Amino acid sequence: MSGPVWTPAPNADSHLARFGRWVAERRGIDGTVYDRLWAWSVERPAEFWADVAEYFAVPVAGAGEVLPDASMPGARWFPGATLNYVDQVLGHDRGTGTAVIGVGDDVDTVTLSWPELRRQVAALAHTLREAGVGRSDRVVSYTPDIVEAVVAFLAAASLGATWASCGQEYPADAAVDRLGQLDPVVLVAADGYRHSGREYDRREAVAVLRRGLPSLRTVIGVTRLGVGLPDSVAWEDATAGEHALRTEPVPFDHPLWVLFSSGTTGAPKGIVHGHGGIVLEHVKNHALHLDVGAEDTFLWFTSPSWTMWNMQVGGLLLGATIVCHDGNPGYPTPGDLWRVAAEQRVTVLGASPAYLRACETKGVEPAKEQDLSALRVLGSTGSVLPPEAYHWVHDHVGASVMVASTSGGTDVCSAFAGGAATVPVWPGEISVRSLGVALAAYDEQHRPVVGQVGELVVTAPTPSMPLSFWDDADGARYRAAYFDDIPGVWRHGDWITVTDHGSVIVHGRSDSTLNRNGIRMGSAEIYRALEGVPEVLDSMVLGVEQPGGGYWMPLFVVLAEGAELDEALVDRIRLAIREKASPRHVPDEVRVAPGIPHTRTGKKLEVPVKRMLQGAGADIVDPGAVAEPELLEWYAGQVRT
């Protein structure tokens, strides 16, 4: 199949199309043409973000000038405004329909109506207030992706407290490394979780976490395994009764939550986001790029450790029903996530590229096995989505399903580039630069380029750029992370191409770039080429600079059961890379690996492993941040032969 894999239906009435028409009448620009809408949004950001606030009825009471200071870092947005995230969720009439659904492995489905969500949030806020929790205190959680975590976040935010969460897949020490930075006063924790037919008792991990958080005054225990947590306030008691919901008005840039970097090398960075920036960014991203609205059911398979959990909760800002999935998307069958989507009538679904590829290699037929007639949008992020996956979705999920591949991250808790229901979807490409994001590809002279590989930069501020890093009073670490290389310009650390039709192709991290003889290459091209080699289940390629000017480019592969890395398979691997990428992309050697190390949010550890191959030991990586830490010693022992 050549050309776009999906095109908008004629006269399709998406949220983006309606917003474009509204802007056209209001501003006199052709908001029905995406490129013109995007250009206006980045050239006149004060107009754009003021219109987003008005269109989505975001209550920015007392707002004066929208953007009096556009410097980066340090931009000031809506400096006179006060609001509260929870007002956008529960301050609108949501009716009596379903707000939150909880599903998981071997557990009963939980459903909260909008009135019950409001009651539980108000009751828990009352409990927290009685415990002395107020503005700027920190409330943290150590739970799976469950309904209770959503309620706890909203209750904390309603008081002006700052939230942070960590999934129970993280060991206790890794949770302490993150949450312990914040000196929290309340911990919400579960006794454990069920996954793939097994129970994981986390009571001892919670005990370790409590010892590592000496600032705690209250622990609220959620029972998942029927045993509960000792010396804690039971969830049922903390959310009992009828109480008025009283939200605390806070400044636009008041801290809402702290997200954490992967922490694979050094302590995880705490990234602070504000109420106003997140509300505006999420209503914009979810409605205009994911096409989420009040009529939708929104499920993104994620963990409270990952920014996508916060993004999923953001569906509530628009009145959508969100689905919390506490389990394995591949249990008891490889395609179980599709079953959940069918049963819950999910309209917007998010899954990782790795999961989509696993479904393909295992022969899952979602459209044949399940009723996915409600599904309109399939989101994907966390790594590059290869062109083959777009075709697989078209052929096996549904030709009418729009693939919304996105690129952004924890840094902004949103997307720099994503989907758009008014433009075609091209295989291997992210459809558009996000509205309000002045994204460009810079060459080595810091000039914007189109049609060639460059550094992903953002040249103007967006509301959800971090307020700060936690415990970084002078902002030095924040500036070093994004602005020191190109002063006044956000450098994100990805290689991208902006195409002549406005889409974005991500080539991989610029700090793990392959650079043979001065030619910069992204690892994603090699991974895409290997999609056509069925014996290869996973892979990692590294460009390792060596003493004396040497350069070594090994490819590590994980093979399917029964496959053997003989000369014939090596030749097929090399041929696939040569033909689908280029001769320059062909690795120096191919080695079988026992696994590919990933962060707990699914990203390959290219940079730390590269440093290991340059002589650093496995201890440069925090094992608590790695999904399979036992792999690190194996890679630390790999040397060029």
Side-chain angles (χ1 to χ4, degrees), residues 538-557:
D538 201 358
S539 60
M540 181 166 64
V541 65
L542 302 170
V544 185
E545 296 84 2
Q546 299 195 307
Y551 192 78
W552 176 40
M553 197 170 112
L555 172 68
F556 297 95
V557 296

Side-chain angles (χ1 to χ4, degrees), residues 22-56:
W22 183 80
V23 166
E25 294 177 1
R26 182 179 179 83
R27 299 293 182 185
I29 65 166
D30 190 352
T32 63
V33 177
Y34 186 85
D35 286 348
R36 295 176 186 173
L37 187 65
W38 176 82
W40 163 73
S41 77
V42 298
E43 291 165 5
R44 304 183 72 87
E47 285 185 2
F48 171 71
W49 290 106
D51 283 1
V52 167
E54 181 170 343
Y55 186 82
F56 292 105

Side-chain angles (χ1 to χ4, degrees), residues 34 68 101 110 131 142 146 150 176 200 208 213 279 286 290 330 349 464 476 486 576 589 639:
Y34 186 85
I101 299 170
V110 175
Y142 185 55
I146 53 178
V150 176
V176 171
Y200 292 83
V208 172
L213 303 177
V279 169
H286 290 31
L290 289 173
L349 175 67
S464 72
I486 314 174
E589 61 178 301
V639 295

